[in-house]
Amino acid sequence: MKIAIVGTGYVGLVSGTCFSEMGVDVTCVDVNREKIEQLRRGIIPIYEPGLEEMVHKNVKAGRLHFTTDLVDVLDGVEVVFSAVGTPPDEDGSADLKYVLEVARTVGCHMNKYLVVVTKSTVPVGTAVKVKDAIQAELDKRGESIEFDVASNPEFLKEGAAINDFMSPDRVVVGVASERAKEIMSRLYKPFMLSGDRMIFTDIPSAEMIKYAANSMLATRISFMNDMANLCELVGADINMVRKGIGADSRIGKKFLYAGCGYGGSCFPKDVKALIKTAEQNGYKMQVLKAVESVNERQKSVLFRKFMNHFGGDVKGKTVALWGLAFKPETDDMREAPALVLIDLLLNAGVNVKVYDPIAMDECRRRIGDKVIYCKDMYEATVDVDALMLVTEWKEFRMPSWCVLKKAMQGYVLIDGRNIYDGQELKEKGFEYYKIG
């Protein structure tokens, strides 16, 4: 089976590589010539554990190809996935210009039946716009060629994307014909050998499922952060509260961890887009507006704790940040709490030293040399007045407290992910602050 995937960003590259791993002949398409040339040379533009090795393997096997020319591959494929970016517009809605550009290209040049699949996260109603754009181009050509549009939202967690794709807990596909359903079933069959986890729906429901899922997860995070802030005021421990409510089978244990806010490419964008979709249909998503508000405020929680500790007298002090990416196992800093924190610290006249195992180059690309980049976690703490744990990378879990005591000038540790034992740190002479 041959397919094309347009867009070699996170979703497109991971999806294409994993399909090729299962024997599908995949051509990944991107208008960025430099990126395509790098991929052809084996240079991977994103960090994702296991991805580089899998790309090299399938390119060598002749199953994974890269090109800038979608038109050149259309006649040889059965399915075209659109995995291009849908950045938030100024009003928070998803910008569909790249999605519709792919649709128009397909309509201009297709010569046989195709299934055109939106893999990008897109608002409800996008499939209709894609279908209309393709049909409009066919009408201009005076051609009558059958095609189907389908929706196949991705549910990949950055840092665990390969496993999520290869062993999915569900594959959601919105279709409007049996022919499209059969083709999509055949494409995903190798991933279903241990049990059929395909969920076929109508197209609008498939488009809504991704937004609803991410918004629910974001809601749980903001709820726990709100609860953590209240726990601090009343003297309760959010970790104990988490265990207590997580034991309820109706609630479950996942996504109940308090912290310094969520970020990344999905949650902030998708929450905004769903709020905007509701507004466009005359409805207010009051819960999600609160989720968004709580999260924005939570991104400054470490700064507030820092300011409170020093009574607001922080100008000229030096702080170390452990972690820059929005979460471990990725270099993604989109909407990362670290970016908000760095801005607040710099504006307050604080010197900032940073270390992240993967995201240092990405941070430098985003903010330049406003901060001091350190070669390891301990170098970052030399002569600092405080240390802030922002991203819970594994290597930060068991630091040498003796080394830190020798390196640091002040012994203030602000734990933005609640991974340390406060009592242990107090016994070792640190002033310890956590979330909740």
Side-chain angles (χ1 to χ4, degrees), residues 59-108:
V59 168
K60 185 176 181 180
R63 292 187 296 265
L64 183 60
H65 322 276
F66 300 102
T67 184
T68 58
D69 192 354
L70 174 59
V71 177
D72 191 49
V73 301
L74 280 180
D75 286 346
V77 300
E78 293 182 66
V79 181
V80 175
F81 282 90
S82 178
V84 293
T86 55
D89 227 332
E90 290 183 6
D91 63 358
S93 61
D95 187 344
L96 299 178
K97 63 183 177 184
Y98 302 118
V99 173
L100 296 179
E101 187 177 318
V102 171
R104 286 190 288 268
T105 301
V106 171
C108 281

Side-chain angles (χ1 to χ4, degrees), residues 8-15 46-48 156-161 334:
T8 58
Y10 190 86
V11 174
L13 185 56
V14 171
S15 300
I46 59 174
Y47 175 77
E48 177 63 34
L156 306 179
K157 297 188 295 291
E158 293 190 38
R334 285 173 287 185

Side-chain angles (χ1 to χ4, degrees), residues 172-192:
V172 174
V173 183
V175 293
S177 77
E178 284 299 317
R179 187 175 184 182
K181 181 178 179 180
E182 185 277 326
I183 289 173
M184 295 302 288
S185 295
R186 182 156 45 90
L187 177 60
Y188 274 105
K189 185 177 179 180
F191 302 91
M192 301 293 137

Side-chain angles (χ1 to χ4, degrees), residues 195-384:
D196 190 353
R197 298 174 299 284
M198 293 198 73
I199 300 173
F200 283 100
T201 71
D202 58 83
I203 293 175
S205 296
E207 291 174 327
M208 180 60 80
I209 285 170
K210 176 60 185 294
Y211 280 112
N214 279 352
S215 295
M216 171 58 79
L217 296 175
T219 298
R220 286 171 71 99
I221 293 170
S222 281
F223 172 78
M224 289 305 291
N225 285 335
D226 229 10
M227 289 300 302
N229 296 335
L230 179 58
C231 283
E232 287 189 12
L233 295 174
V234 301
D237 186 329
I238 191 62
N239 287 329
M240 293 182 181
V241 173
R242 172 179 59 80
K243 291 176 183 177
I245 66 174
D248 188 326
S249 60
R250 297 168 299 176
I251 297 173
K253 299 177 180 179
K254 294 183 178 180
F255 275 81
L256 291 183
Y257 290 87
C260 52
Y262 63 74
S265 62
C266 293
F267 289 4
K269 176 172 69 74
D270 292 356
V271 169
K272 283 182 173 66
L274 195 51
I275 290 171
K276 189 62 183 179
T277 296
E279 289 176 355
Q280 291 168 344
N281 286 274
Y283 187 77
K284 291 184 179 180
M285 301 292 283
Q286 296 183 37
V287 172
L288 287 188
K289 284 190 172 184
V291 167
E292 190 176 45
S293 176
V294 167
N295 190 59
E296 287 309 305
R297 186 174 188 276
Q298 198 69 12
K299 289 182 179 181
S300 63
V301 67
L302 301 187
F303 178 74
R304 294 197 301 271
K305 291 177 181 293
F306 173 69
M307 291 289 283
N308 289 338
H309 176 82
F310 289 103
D313 183 18
V314 298
K315 188 174 182 179
K317 296 202 178 294
T318 303
V319 171
L321 268 56
W322 277 358
L324 296 165
F326 86 94
K327 73 172 191 175
E329 301 301 330
T330 180
D331 62 351
D332 196 341
M333 288 188 66
R334 285 173 287 185
E335 303 281 348
L339 292 173
V340 174
L341 180 57
I342 288 170
D343 273 347
L344 290 169
L345 290 167
L346 292 176
N347 288 336
V350 178
N351 303 306
V352 181
K353 302 172 73 175
V354 302
Y355 172 72
D356 186 287
I358 297 296
M360 300 283 270
D361 288 342
E362 177 64 12
C363 186
R364 188 177 281 106
R365 185 185 72 81
R366 285 178 173 271
I367 68 171
D369 293 323
K370 294 180 180 180
V371 297
I372 301 167
Y373 297 93
C374 300
K375 65 181 180 181
D376 61 47
M377 57 191 281
Y378 294 112
E379 182 185 271
T381 65
V382 173
D383 295 331
V384 301

Side-chain angles (χ1 to χ4, degrees), residues 411-431:
Y411 305 129
V412 179
L413 197 159
I414 305 175
D415 182 357
R417 299 298 175 183
N418 289 359
I419 69 172
Y420 299 126
D421 184 328
Q423 186 58 42
E424 177 190 4
L425 284 173
K426 288 175 183 176
E427 291 173 358
K428 293 183 180 297
F430 287 88
E431 296 183 84

